[in-house]
Amino acid sequence: MLAILKKEINSFFASPIGYLVIAIFLLLNSLFLWLFKGEFNVLDYGFADLTSFFLLSPWILIFLIPAVTMRSFSDEKKQGTLELLLTKPISHLQIVLGKYFGAFLLIILALIPTLLYVYTISELGNPIGNLDVGITLGSYIGLLFLTAAYTSIGIFASTLSDNQIVAFIIAVFLCFLLYIGFEGLADVLGSLIENFGMASHYKSMSRGVLDTRDIIYFLSITALFLFLTVKRVNTEGSKPVKWLNIALFPIGLILLNSISSSFYQRFDLTSDSRYTLNKAALSIVKNVDSAIIIDVFLEGEDFPSEYRRLQTETKQLLEEFEAYNSNITFNFIDPFEDQANQDLRIAQFTERGLTPMQLSVQDNGKQSQRIIIPWALASYNNQTVDIPLVKYKVNANQQETVTNSVQNLEYAFADGLSRLINPKRRKIAILKGNNELPDLKIADLLKTLQQYYYIAPFTLDSVATNPKKTSKLLNTYDLVIAAKPTEAFSEEEKYILDQYTMNGGKSLWLLDKIIMEKDSLFNPEGKNIAVTRDLNLTDFFFKYGVRVNPVLTSVKSQNIGRITLETGQDESLKLQHFLWPYAPLALSDINHPITNNLNFVKFDFANQIDTLKNDIKKTILLKSDRPSRLEGSPKEISLEFALKEPDSKLFTKDRQNLAVLLEGEFTSVYNNRIKPLELENDITKSTATKMIVIADGDVIKNDLDKGRPTTLGFDKWTKETYGNKEFLLNSVNYLLDDDGLINIRSKEIKVAFLDYAKVGKEKTKWQIINIILPLLFLGLFGFIFNFLRKRKYAKKA
């Protein structure tokens, strides 16, 4: 067998045709990847990976491999040497394997120069080396399995004719049919038929995911065509054909693949395990036995490369869901396929709540605008939910927006499918009776929460007349939300709330310890006095381990909100946006499910939180930026603070705590104290529970526009959208989550980009390197090979 392998390699490289075939392969790859404009151009694509190469290679290999294998047996048959070869003391299987591995090794030699592409991407990454080795390794492994299958097909085709051109055409046809043909048939015969084709199995591996089902499939294809090749050689050697064996072998391979589809292992080689779905996400769709149809509107032409990446990542994620449960199907739809009705379609999508997004597209130095609909609609049992695909952040560029969006995809789909499939289970009480924010001011969050939970107002006024009934009724709720109470709580009310916590109830508190509203500054003087608000809750939270201090947090930074003021007079009157130090934009410095990949959260006249030592676990969710300043009360607040640069000497403090998560077993505020009233069961130590305290009640407040509530976090003056709504929704989901869905947000997915500045500066250099250098390697190899070959035969002579 080794002798035949060596003969194949020697004969291939002894002929200029061999070098020509490999040179064409390398040149085509290089031109499409580095020079020609189009979807395969790596430098235009903008991402630090070789996705383009692994998409392009199967199509080039469809022609390269038949060109290598077409002479394997057809040439032997044409020259009459096959009969002589079959008389040698070597089995027919060994002959076939010798020629097969010879051709396979030649293709591997052709692929080796493409490792230069890996080095180039690594050097052009931002930062250098920003390349996922796992994806690249897995993709090369997938390409080798595909090459192995193509080679076996080419070897088989060469036994069918003594004409090399005919063998080449047959091999190209069979490779094309098995690679992409079944995808076409799937449109007619159903999606199941697609699994018989190589494309679906290769695409999975080319992402860096090794699945035993895909490996067994490629090994089966390779083994099948090698088996058929051996049988063809047997007929040439006048051996009788045993049709039963021919029938049994494919049947055995089919049974093997059927078994592998039930018992398999997946190995996600990506550095961030991006293609390993969270158990919580899988549990949502595990038992779904009727159709879930997902329509994605990320389809169309002229997408910027960043959004083509979002499109690709969305497809790959949905393929994972579809592979787990075949009842999930998805379609990518171009919403503007009919350009004549584009304005009408935009209006329809906007009315449905699917806000279009306008992008800037650069093409050959020209800038144009492109509108996309970054949404998906999921339907199940005649119900439909909206799923946002783009994750916004203030001041984020397109790269950052796509990175955030890709990282949020799994949670977005899991959350949407959960809303669609799972019935509501949890109940939330919105506290009333202490002059909290009216429903209209928190309407947007309530509307959103109603998609997940049962929502009801709950007043504590009945504590005075029937405390036992009030306590019992409150304990039927899973969470209470106190949205900016402005009247003090009585001891009786505090005791009821304390016992609610002792019974395992969760709570979300949004508190203002300073009385000051932005609207109160819009008076002729443009100023007002901030004073302390007494809510009678200091001892309440002190016992639990936090203290909301009656101070204002102001910040001197770019990470603060804006205030909109009128400037000028009469005809020159206009609205201007000014930095407002009393509107800190809160950040998180931890990787927590609530705050991971979160947009800035806007506060207004925020207080500050201290944490105290006890057994409760405390997690600081949000902090202000630095430098900051703490201002006590009473304090005069004036709009002049926005019109002049604040004195830097006043801002001497670090970041301030604005939101804290408390988790653990709480000790009752009234432990070893006289109880303000009697309840049936007084509990002094709670079961494990959670609580979030936020030092600003305005975080939950939505603006009003013409008397109607706007989206929470949206500033109607600056048109900026902050992360208030997402933060509060995440907080509620975390407090009530019992299936771990919120933990998907902790998963970090890194999207590697090229260094655009470096690409622009060194583009020509890397184009020359990747087009010319592989050919020089091939030429050098050819020179050394032929030099050694001549010297060897010269010695023999």
Side-chain angles (χ1 to χ4, degrees):
M1 187 177 81
L2 289 177
I4 295 175
L5 187 152
K6 290 178 181 179
K7 174 181 173 293
E8 290 293 310
I9 293 176
N10 283 325
S11 62
F12 185 84
F13 284 115
S15 165
I17 298 296
Y19 296 100
L20 181 62
V21 168
I22 295 179
I24 291 174
F25 168 73
L26 294 174
L27 192 59
L28 285 175
N29 270 303
S30 299
L31 291 175
F32 276 104
L33 295 174
W34 304 101
L35 188 63
F36 294 161
K37 292 288 183 182
E39 62 178 303
F40 294 115
N41 191 294
V42 173
L43 300 178
D44 292 342
Y45 182 54
F47 293 91
D49 61 45
L50 282 171
T51 300
S52 299
F53 169 65
F54 293 112
L55 288 176
L56 177 65
S57 290
W59 296 102
I60 299 179
L61 289 174
I62 279 180
F63 298 94
L64 170 69
I65 293 177
V68 171
T69 60
M70 63 184 182
R71 52 174 295 282
S72 295
F73 283 100
S74 61
D75 200 37
E76 300 271 9
K77 292 170 69 175
K78 186 174 183 179
Q79 295 181 17
T81 57
L82 181 59
E83 291 82 358
L84 181 62
L85 181 63
L86 295 179
T87 62
K88 299 290 182 180
I90 183 174
S91 69
H92 292 177
L93 175 61
Q94 288 177 312
I95 293 171
V96 170
L97 290 179
K99 288 184 173 291
Y100 170 78
F101 284 115
F104 184 60
L105 185 57
L106 289 171
I107 306 303
I108 291 176
L109 291 173
L111 289 173
I112 287 175
T114 66
L115 294 175
L116 180 62
Y117 305 158
V118 179
Y119 172 75
T120 302
I121 294 295
S122 179
E123 286 296 304
L124 291 177
N126 186 15
I128 292 176
N130 189 21
L131 175 72
D132 193 322
V133 177
I135 292 179
T136 307
L137 177 62
S139 299
Y140 265 109
I141 292 173
L143 192 60
L144 289 178
F145 274 105
L146 182 69
T147 298
Y150 277 177
T151 305
S152 68
I153 294 171
I155 293 291
F156 169 71
S158 72
T159 66
L160 300 178
S161 173
D162 58 4
N163 187 308
Q164 294 184 27
I165 302 302
V166 173
F168 172 82
I169 294 172
I170 293 173
V172 169
F173 172 75
L174 289 175
C175 289
F176 182 85
L177 177 65
L178 283 168
Y179 183 72
I180 201 68
F182 285 96
E183 284 193 359
L185 291 174
D187 296 334
V188 179
L189 303 177
S191 59
L192 186 62
I193 197 71
E194 188 176 347
N195 292 326
F196 289 92
M198 288 191 279
S200 62
H201 295 277
Y202 171 71
K203 286 176 183 176
S204 175
M205 300 179 80
S206 67
R207 293 178 294 164
V209 179
L210 300 186
D211 191 314
T212 54
R213 291 171 294 182
D214 299 326
I215 293 172
I216 289 174
Y217 169 83
F218 278 115
L219 292 177
S220 299
I221 292 292
T222 303
L224 174 63
F225 280 95
L226 288 177
F227 171 79
L228 294 176
T229 304
V230 171
K231 294 304 176 184
R232 280 290 302 165
V233 171
N234 287 343
T235 60
E236 296 289 340
S238 302
K239 282 191 176 183
V241 176
K242 296 181 180 180
W243 294 104
L244 181 61
N245 291 345
I246 294 178
L248 288 177
F249 191 79
I251 292 172
L253 291 178
I254 292 172
L255 289 175
L256 176 62
N257 281 267
S258 298
I259 294 171
S260 72
S261 65
S262 301
F263 304 96
Y264 61 89
Q265 288 289 325
R266 296 175 77 255
F267 304 95
D268 188 346
L269 302 184
T270 59
S271 61
D272 46 25
S273 300
R274 68 179 62 187
Y275 302 118
T276 302
L277 293 178
N278 188 281
K279 290 181 180 179
L282 295 176
S283 67
I284 293 170
V285 298
K286 180 178 181 180
N287 298 316
V288 172
D289 54 6
S290 56
I292 298 176
I293 301 172
I294 302 173
D295 293 325
V296 184
F297 299 106
L298 276 182
E299 190 65 67
E301 299 177 356
D302 303 326
F303 271 32
S305 61
E306 292 91 349
Y307 287 89
R308 289 205 307 272
R309 181 55 177 264
L310 178 61
Q311 179 190 60
T312 300
E313 294 285 348
T314 303
K315 284 182 180 178
Q316 292 173 345
L317 177 72
L318 291 176
E319 285 170 358
E320 294 294 322
F321 276 109
E322 185 180 52
Y324 186 76
N325 189 324
S326 59
N327 288 305
I328 298 176
T329 58
F330 62 91
N331 310 291
F332 275 71
I333 299 170
D334 183 356
F336 304 125
E337 188 174 6
D338 183 2
Q339 292 291 329
N341 295 319
Q342 179 170 317
D343 292 340
L344 176 62
R345 294 288 286 161
I346 290 174
Q348 291 173 339
F349 279 113
T350 304
E351 185 178 352
R352 177 73 172 77
L354 310 183
T355 310
M357 182 178 182
Q358 185 166 294
L359 305 174
S360 295
V361 181
Q362 291 279 353
D363 186 17
N364 294 325
K366 296 181 180 180
Q367 191 173 49
S368 60
Q369 301 298 314
R370 177 75 162 83
I371 296 176
I372 66 170
I373 308 295
W375 293 85
L377 292 178
S379 302
Y380 174 72
N381 289 345
N382 298 319
Q383 303 222 0
T384 302
V385 297
D386 309 337
I387 299 174
L389 304 180
V390 168
K391 179 80 166 49
Y392 296 98
K393 274 193 177 182
V394 174
N395 300 326
N397 58 33
Q398 284 192 174
Q399 281 190 0
E400 293 168 335
T401 299
V402 170
T403 300
N404 297 333
S405 302
V406 169
Q407 184 163 323
N408 193 60
L409 275 178
E410 184 178 349
Y411 177 75
F413 278 101
D415 176 66
L417 294 175
S418 178
R419 283 184 282 137
L420 193 64
I421 297 167
N422 294 329
K424 297 178 183 179
R425 303 187 303 273
R426 305 296 192 188
K427 294 171 61 180
I428 298 177
I430 309 298
L431 290 186
K432 302 291 182 182
N434 294 85
N435 201 25
E436 288 85 359
L437 287 172
D439 288 347
L440 194 61
K441 293 290 184 72
I442 58 174
D444 188 56
L445 182 65
L446 294 182
K447 180 182 176 182
T448 304
L449 289 177
Q450 283 174 343
Q451 299 177 42
Y452 302 84
Y453 311 106
Y454 295 105
I455 309 290
F458 191 93
T459 179
L460 293 173
D461 293 346
S462 58
V463 170
T465 57
N466 197 339
K468 293 181 180 180
K469 181 180 178 181
T470 304
S471 178
K472 187 175 181 180
L473 184 59
L474 183 61
N475 286 333
T476 63
Y477 289 89
D478 302 287
L479 172 72
V480 297
I481 298 178
K484 193 179 179 179
T486 56
E487 291 182 1
F489 287 79
S490 68
E491 291 298 322
E492 291 78 9
E493 292 170 337
K494 287 163 57 179
Y495 183 52
I496 294 294
L497 290 168
D498 172 76
Q499 289 300 294
Y500 169 78
T501 301
M502 294 306 105
N503 279 284
K506 282 83 171 179
S507 53
L508 174 61
W509 293 86
L510 299 101
L511 305 173
D512 273 354
K513 295 296 290 289
I514 295 287
I515 301 174
M516 173 51 63
E517 303 291 337
K518 190 163 60 177
D519 291 346
S520 69
L521 300 175
F522 295 106
N523 55 48
E525 293 77 25
K527 63 180 70 172
N528 209 332
I529 304 297
V531 297
T532 301
R533 171 180 284 130
D534 182 17
L535 295 174
N536 192 30
L537 292 174
T538 301
D539 61 332
F540 187 81
F541 290 109
F542 191 93
K543 187 70 175 181
Y544 296 154
V546 295
R547 178 172 55 211
V548 181
N549 295 308
V551 294
L552 288 176
T553 300
S554 58
V555 176
K556 180 178 170 58
S557 163
Q558 289 300 309
N559 289 330
I560 55 177
R562 272 61 173 167
I563 189 170
T564 304
L565 303 175
E566 290 183 344
T567 60
Q569 293 182 347
D570 301 329
E571 295 179 358
S572 63
L573 193 68
K574 61 179 180 179
L575 295 176
Q576 277 190 274
H577 310 307
F578 296 92
L579 291 172
W580 183 235
Y582 295 103
L585 300 182
L587 312 163
S588 176
D589 54 9
I590 60 171
N591 180 18
H592 191 277
I594 294 177
T595 57
N596 191 37
N597 197 22
L598 185 70
N599 196 357
F600 288 110
V601 178
K602 186 173 181 290
F603 285 66
D604 276 308
F605 299 108
N607 304 147
Q608 178 257 358
I609 299 177
D610 284 335
T611 58
L612 309 167
K613 288 186 178 181
N614 62 7
D615 295 333
I616 299 299
K617 177 185 175 183
K618 303 169 190 70
T619 305
I620 307 300
L621 297 175
L622 294 175
K623 291 184 178 182
S624 70
D625 202 359
R626 64 169 70 90
S628 66
R629 179 188 181 194
L630 297 178
E631 304 177 25
S633 61
K635 168 72 177 178
E636 183 180 83
I637 307 295
S638 172
L639 293 177
E640 289 291 328
F641 296 161
L643 302 175
K644 62 183 181 182
E645 183 75 14
D647 187 355
S648 298
K649 295 180 181 178
L650 299 175
F651 295 83
T652 60
K653 297 190 177 297
D654 204 348
R655 301 174 64 184
Q656 302 299 318
N657 301 335
L658 301 181
V660 180
L661 166 66
L662 307 174
E663 298 175 280
E665 297 178 357
F666 293 75
T667 300
S668 172
V669 176
Y670 293 90
N671 184 34
N672 298 324
R673 288 176 53 182
I674 298 175
K675 312 301 186 287
L677 51 83
E678 289 188 10
L679 295 177
E680 291 181 357
N681 295 306
D682 175 74
I683 302 174
T684 58
K685 192 76 172 181
S686 78
T687 56
T689 188
K690 308 171 189 175
M691 175 186 298
I692 293 176
V693 181
I694 302 170
D696 180 18
D698 291 321
V699 169
I700 198 174
K701 185 171 72 173
N702 54 250
D703 287 335
L704 299 177
D705 187 14
K706 298 179 181 178
R708 300 178 62 182
T710 61
T711 301
L712 175 59
F714 176 72
D715 187 325
K716 64 181 179 182
W717 301 109
T718 64
K719 307 303 180 185
E720 292 278 13
T721 300
Y722 299 98
N724 296 46
K725 182 175 180 178
E726 184 181 7
F727 169 65
L728 292 174
L729 181 59
N730 291 346
S731 296
V732 172
N733 288 345
Y734 182 82
L735 292 171
L736 292 179
D737 189 36
D738 59 354
D739 55 15
L741 183 60
I742 189 67
N743 291 318
I744 298 174
R745 290 183 50 81
S746 295
K747 183 176 180 179
E748 288 196 47
I749 293 178
K750 300 170 185 176
V751 180
F753 290 92
L754 296 178
D755 186 332
Y756 283 157
K758 191 173 182 179
V759 168
K761 184 179 178 181
E762 302 178 6
K763 184 175 184 178
T764 303
K765 178 184 102 172
W766 291 107
Q767 286 176 328
I768 293 172
I769 287 174
N770 285 281
I771 294 173
I772 303 299
L773 203 56
L775 298 177
L776 291 179
F777 285 151
L778 178 63
L780 180 62
F781 173 83
F783 174 79
I784 294 173
F785 180 86
N786 283 285
F787 174 78
L788 295 175
R789 186 169 180 268
K790 286 179 181 178
R791 193 169 73 168
K792 176 182 177 182
Y793 286 110
K795 286 181 179 179
K796 289 182 178 181

